[in-house]
Structures are given as structure tokens and as C-alpha cells.
Amino acid sequence: MGSSEVSVIPGLQKEEKAAVERRRLHVLKALKKLRIEADEAPVVAVLGSGGGLRAHIACLGVLSEMKEQGLLDAVTYLAGVSGSTWAISSLYTNDGDMEALEADLKHRFTRQEWDLAKSLQKTIQAARSENYSLTDFWAYMVISKQTRELPESHLSNMKKPVEEGTLPYPIFAAIDNDLQPSWQEARAPETWFEFTPHHAGFPALGAFVSITHFGSKFKKGRLVRTHPERDLTFLRGLWGSALGNTEVIREYIFDKHSSCFYSFADQLRNLTLKGLWRRAVANAKSIGHLLFARLLRLQESSQGEHPPPEARLLRLQESSQGEHPPPEDEGGEPEHTWLTEMLENWTRTSLEKQEQPHEDPERKGSLSNFMDFVKKTGICASKWEWGTTHNFLYKHSGIRDKIMSSRKHLHLVDAGLAINTPFPLVLPPTREVHLILSFDFSAGDPFEHPQSATSNELLIQSHPRPSRAPLPGR
């Protein structure tokens, strides 16, 4: 269990500093095996870009080859955004065993199986949280389908090999979506958020919270309500929650990705609802029940044609718009506040009044949880709300920036929305990085993102770099 206080200090967190110092010994040994003489271990950072499943597989290939050649042992930091974070995290969940990792990867993608029931169960469970957002749905229903796995381990489980220095120190990137305008206008470094096995927070502010308390509620720098540590499946969804800007996300989810949003209805009917779903249709008296009934009817009527589930969501919205035409703002664009208000005011008829006394209470609970999941997902979709978590800097007196300390919640998303590389997290002089090896797995210009990062002096914090002798060839 980590500290229950928010840490606001300049420089590296003490846990990272100790891990990096321990890593130096392993780096020197690795260099010696490579016949490279060095009096002091250089700090080498390997970066992986985004690129979805392509980046996931390609980054694993890079790490595998570096491991085979003895180069990975000479690396101090591994950092990634989006798809590369899936690969880097897999390295640690397999304790650095690349052969086991590759065998597991081959097995998962050869059998082409996806445990829909388990993914749905995890999503419905996540919907019971007060901070449920589309990131939860994305993580448990989409990313799990892409990667064919639902890792339930936690980032804090990676501490042992990191603290022993046997593996590089990992850094996983995200950005604060509420600060996107600041990034677009001035490349504000406060936009960037990082995760490590020890902490999560804003490196530009030197403000961090223990990774075991990420998502818990803080006020004035003190823990006021503990929430369980988020599992690696959720974090992968958060780190890889976008492929571009908001419009690209919408296009990807609603127009391209297939069999994820409503295909769960088949399984759900067989697993939990059975006869209850038909009764829900017959007793659709409230708006919420009506929407739920439409969802089920759309699923039933589409069994023969098998349209993408995203299209079924659009049909659901369009059928609702037929009765409640959305108003237009002054610019002529339709607003969807009608849907938000309708869902937020959804009052469900008591299940006890609808069911007979002999009905299975467990089934009633399953139906109630499912309906709550549908409701919350609809609200989040109408608001387009991603990555909601408690702001651990809320009312913190040590943070001068009122924007950072006045918000009750943060909305963290894929760092690829800023630039598709984690350069900003290893450039600050506090990490003393001497050499950066950047691997780009995106579809665009491989030099675009490094140039964008290194040419912007706002990303280089004003702390003086510690003096040390230059390395050969630097």
C-alpha cells in the first residue's frame, strides 16, 4: 500500500530514483557483455509509439530482438503511448520472459477466441462505479477483444523486477483531455500524465499519487475515500483510448469496429435474462425501459443480417430522435442534451413490482445491473465522456494553478491525441536521459512526432541538467 498523501516535490520520486540506481549496475554488466567499456552507466530510453494492434505486435518484436541481442539489458527506461503500452506491460506481466510472452501471444491469436461473457461481466461491474466512462467500455469490450486477453493484474505488481533492477523502469503515457486546448495553443507540458509501477501524476508539476491510490478520492492532499487499484485491462484501455482526434474516435467506434457494442445482447439473454427480457419489453412503461426494449428488439431483428453493433447503436439513437427531434444550436449543429437529460432522468420501475415473488433474486439483480450499465453507457456516449477519475489535486494548497486544483475530476485519454510518442516524459532533465531510441509504428511520417517533441522548448523544463562528462558520440 502506497502513501495516502499527494506528493508534490521537484525531481524524481524516491522510489524511481532508487530503482534507476539499482538498474545502473545491470546496465554496466550488459555493456561489458557487449564489449563496451564505460565507467558510468549511460541512461538509455527506448520509446514506442501508438498504432493500435499494429504497434502492440511491432513493439513486442522490437523488444524481443533487443532482448536476444543483449541490448534490452542496457536500457534504463521503457516508455510508450497507446498500442506500445500494451506491449510494454505484457513484458512485465511475463516477468521479462520473451519466449513465454511470444508463445502466449501466438496461442491467443491462433485460437481467435474472445471471452465475451467475462468481458461483459467486467464491464457491468465497472458500470457500478461512480466514475464509469466510455474508457471502461472501451477497455473491457474493445481492447480485450483486440488483444484476446483480460489481464487482472495491477501496475503495482511490476514493482519487484523494477526495484531489483532486472528490468528497465517503465513509463506509460496519457494526457489530461481537459487541457487539450492548452496543448494545442501552447504545448503546455502540464497536459501530460504518466503511470509507473510506483506512482501516477503530472511530471511537469512534480505532483504524484501512489499508483495503488490512483482513482481514489483526495481533498487538500489527503486521502478521503479509497477505491480499489484499477486493473491492467482498464489502464490499457485508458492508455490506448484513441487513434487520433475525437472525430477519428467516433468514426472508428461507430463506423469501423465490428461486433463489440451490442453483440453482447445474445450472450446476455442466454446467461442472465432468459424470460425476463421479454417481460421487460412487455412492461416498457418508463423511458428507460423503452430504450432497453428497443435495444433488445434491434438485436433480435438483426440476427439474420448481422450488421455491425455500432450501427445498431445509431439505429437506437435514430429511433429515439424520431420522437424527440434534437434541437439545433446557433451554428446549425444538433445538440444531444436531450438524450443526456432523458437518460439522466430515467426512473426505473421497481423490479419487485414487475416480478412474481418466486422469481430468482439473482436474476433480478443481473437485470438491474445490466439496465444500469445501459443507462450509464448511454449517458457517457451522449456526453462523449472518457477517462473519468477523481482529481487527486483537488483543493491542494501546494498547487498554484487554480485550473489544476479546482476540478473534482480528471479526464485522461490516449497521449496520441497530443503527439504519438512519449518524448515529453523522458526529455525533462530530471531523468538525465543520454540516449533515446524511438520506434515509430504509426501510419504517418516516422519523423513527425519526434520533431514535434524535440523542437518545442516548452517541453524541456527549466531545471538545469546535472553536470556530467559527455558520452562518446553524444
Side-chain angles (χ1 to χ4, degrees):
M1 181 65 68
S3 171
S4 60
E5 295 186 1
V6 175
S7 171
V8 183
I9 60 173
L12 299 183
Q13 297 292 297
K14 61 180 181 180
E15 296 88 355
E16 178 181 345
K17 187 180 297 185
V20 170
E21 283 299 320
R22 183 67 63 89
R23 180 65 178 171
R24 292 182 191 277
L25 301 176
H26 290 265
V27 170
L28 286 173
K29 290 181 181 179
L31 292 176
K32 189 174 182 179
K33 289 182 180 179
L34 294 170
R35 299 181 181 180
I36 299 175
E37 295 296 331
D39 296 328
E40 185 178 357
V43 178
V44 178
V46 171
L47 312 185
S49 76
L53 195 58
R54 175 182 62 249
H56 176 41
I57 304 299
C59 186
L60 283 175
V62 168
L63 296 177
S64 177
E65 185 64 20
M66 291 188 70
K67 180 74 172 179
E68 185 172 340
Q69 298 298 327
L71 297 175
L72 190 60
D73 293 330
V75 173
T76 302
Y77 285 106
L78 276 179
V81 303
S82 200
S84 287
T85 65
W86 308 345
I88 295 173
S89 59
S90 293
L91 176 68
Y92 291 83
T93 54
N94 285 273
D95 296 320
D97 188 339
M98 288 302 305
E99 291 185 1
L101 195 162
E102 291 174 13
D104 178 60
L105 186 73
K106 182 178 180 180
H107 173 70
R108 283 188 279 113
F109 282 89
T110 298
R111 59 191 174 120
Q112 292 292 313
E113 292 180 357
W114 174 44
D115 193 340
L116 174 59
K118 189 175 181 180
S119 291
L120 176 60
Q121 181 184 23
K122 294 288 289 185
T123 312
I124 293 176
Q125 181 180 353
R128 300 174 67 179
S129 168
E130 61 181 306
N131 288 333
Y132 177 78
S133 71
L134 292 180
T135 299
D136 293 273
F137 184 92
W138 179 261
Y140 295 114
M141 296 296 289
V142 181
I143 301 302
S144 69
K145 185 177 188 298
Q146 287 190 343
T147 60
R148 304 294 195 276
E149 60 178 340
L150 267 171
E152 297 183 0
S153 60
H154 301 93
L155 204 51
S156 60
N157 297 145
M158 302 178 186
K159 287 181 180 178
K160 184 178 179 181
V162 167
E163 291 175 347
E164 293 176 348
T166 57
L167 288 176
Y169 199 81
I171 308 172
F172 305 94
I175 61 168
D176 187 332
N177 199 39
D178 297 330
L179 301 182
Q180 270 284 54
S182 298
W183 174 262
Q184 299 298 334
E185 295 169 7
R187 294 295 190 265
E190 291 84 359
T191 308
W192 286 76
F193 195 96
E194 71 179 28
F195 296 82
T196 78
H198 293 107
H199 63 257
F202 296 94
L205 300 177
F208 298 96
V209 68
S210 168
I211 190 62
T212 56
H213 288 316
F214 170 71
S216 292
K217 192 172 183 177
F218 286 78
K219 187 175 182 180
K220 297 182 179 180
R222 300 289 298 178
L223 180 67
V224 297
R225 188 193 304 165
T226 301
H227 289 273
E229 182 180 354
R230 300 307 304 260
D231 61 34
L232 201 54
T233 297
F234 171 81
L235 292 179
R236 284 181 171 185
L238 188 154
W239 300 330
S241 59
L243 302 178
N245 58 27
T246 304
E247 293 305 317
V248 173
I249 303 174
R250 291 179 188 271
E251 179 184 359
Y252 182 80
I253 294 176
F254 291 138
D255 297 338
K256 293 184 178 180
H257 192 78
S258 61
S259 62
C260 70
F261 201 95
Y262 280 109
S263 59
F264 61 78
D266 279 332
Q267 292 286 336
L268 188 66
R269 183 179 60 186
N270 295 330
L271 291 172
T272 61
L273 297 182
K274 295 186 178 179
L276 296 180
W277 72 283
R278 294 188 182 277
R279 193 172 292 112
V281 173
N283 296 316
K285 297 178 180 178
S286 68
I287 294 179
H289 285 174
L290 180 60
L291 288 175
F292 180 63
R294 281 179 177 161
L295 183 154
L296 294 172
R297 288 205 307 272
L298 287 170
Q299 180 274 329
E300 187 178 52
S301 64
S302 62
Q303 288 180 350
E305 53 184 291
H306 298 293
E310 301 75 29
R312 299 178 210 172
L313 174 63
L314 291 179
R315 289 184 190 177
L316 178 63
Q317 287 187 318
E318 288 169 0
S319 65
S320 300
Q321 291 172 5
E323 296 181 5
H324 303 275
E328 294 189 356
D329 59 18
E330 295 180 356
E333 293 295 329
E335 296 180 349
H336 299 284
T337 55
W338 65 273
L339 179 58
T340 303
E341 293 173 358
M342 180 175 64
L343 291 170
E344 287 178 337
N345 293 326
W346 181 0
T347 55
R348 295 190 294 263
T349 304
S350 170
L351 289 175
E352 288 76 11
K353 293 181 180 180
Q354 293 188 45
E355 305 301 334
Q356 297 299 323
H358 64 273
E359 289 289 352
D360 187 349
E362 184 175 346
R363 293 183 183 177
K364 293 180 184 179
S366 298
L367 177 59
S368 177
N369 291 336
F370 170 71
M371 294 173 67
D372 191 51
F373 154 65
V374 172
K375 169 191 172 182
K376 285 190 173 181
T377 304
I379 291 173
C380 291
S382 65
K383 294 179 178 178
W384 207 246
E385 182 175 352
W386 291 74
T388 305
T389 187
H390 289 297
N391 180 13
F392 63 91
L393 298 179
Y394 181 58
K395 292 189 178 300
H396 196 296
S397 59
I399 302 298
R400 296 180 179 179
D401 190 331
K402 298 303 180 184
I403 295 179
M404 302 299 292
S405 61
S406 62
R407 296 176 294 161
K408 290 186 177 182
H409 294 92
L410 304 174
H411 295 95
L412 303 175
V413 294
D414 193 321
L417 287 167
I419 52 176
N420 204 22
T421 176
F423 263 94
L425 300 182
V426 298
L427 286 178
T430 53
R431 285 200 160 115
E432 305 182 26
V433 175
H434 298 100
L435 176 66
I436 296 175
L437 303 178
S438 177
F439 295 90
D440 194 299
F441 313 113
S442 58
D445 181 359
F447 297 103
E448 175 186 355
H449 304 301
Q451 289 173 351
S452 175
T454 57
S455 65
N456 196 314
E457 61 182 16
L458 288 176
L459 295 177
I460 309 296
Q461 299 180 23
S462 59
H463 310 299
R465 182 178 292 276
S467 60
R468 58 170 68 236
L471 295 173
R474 184 178 178 186

